[in-house]
Amino acid sequence: MPAEPDRKNAPVFVLVNLIVKDASVYRQYEKGFFPKLKEFGGSFVTYDDAPEHLEGTSPRAGRIIIFTFPTEEHFRRWWADPEYQALSDHRRNGCEQVFITLVHGLPPRPTA
């Protein structure tokens, strides 16, 4: 039986779909987002305001954002940070949030 993957040390990706309703309020979130992301070891990957839906049930229109952390622990510390949660009020107040999803990446491969 194969060993369980080492999710503890695997990178995680955060997928976000939101619809900006009040750009000035959301900009307050964006200004603080990047320094907080970096503080906890996260990296911004990309965003798209006009993603192309190819198959299946379409997520709502809006902004798709992808960022990553080296491990789930990094993500959990960032998410639980009181300063980040206070900052997130701007996101919550300026946007309709469709989803925020945590996806585990592939765990590190054992070296021979």
Side-chain angles (χ1 to χ4, degrees):
M1 180 173 246
E4 286 292 315
D6 182 11
R7 288 170 57 118
K8 179 180 174 187
N9 293 310
V12 295
F13 297 86
V14 183
L15 309 176
V16 179
N17 182 201
L18 50 83
I19 300 167
V20 177
K21 297 292 188 179
D22 186 330
S24 64
V25 173
Y26 181 67
R27 271 197 239 24
Q28 294 175 51
Y29 171 75
E30 283 183 319
K31 286 179 189 176
F33 170 82
F34 292 100
K36 275 308 213 184
L37 184 70
K38 188 174 182 177
E39 178 183 336
F40 287 89
S43 300
F44 181 78
V45 176
T46 193
Y47 82 96
D48 192 340
D49 284 328
E52 180 182 357
H53 179 72
L54 300 175
E55 287 189 30
T57 304
S58 176
R60 291 197 185 142
R63 179 171 286 187
I64 300 287
I65 304 164
I66 303 171
F67 52 98
T68 186
F69 288 91
T71 66
E72 185 175 346
E73 180 182 344
H74 286 83
F75 164 78
R76 298 283 177 200
R77 286 190 354 254
W78 170 78
W79 187 259
D81 180 66
E83 289 179 14
Y84 174 70
Q85 284 301 316
L87 179 65
S88 292
D89 285 341
H90 297 298
R91 174 178 39 79
R92 293 179 190 109
N93 293 328
C95 300
E96 177 184 339
Q97 297 175 96
V98 180
F99 63 75
I100 299 176
T101 303
L102 180 68
V103 177
H104 290 84
L106 295 174
R109 293 177 58 102
T111 56

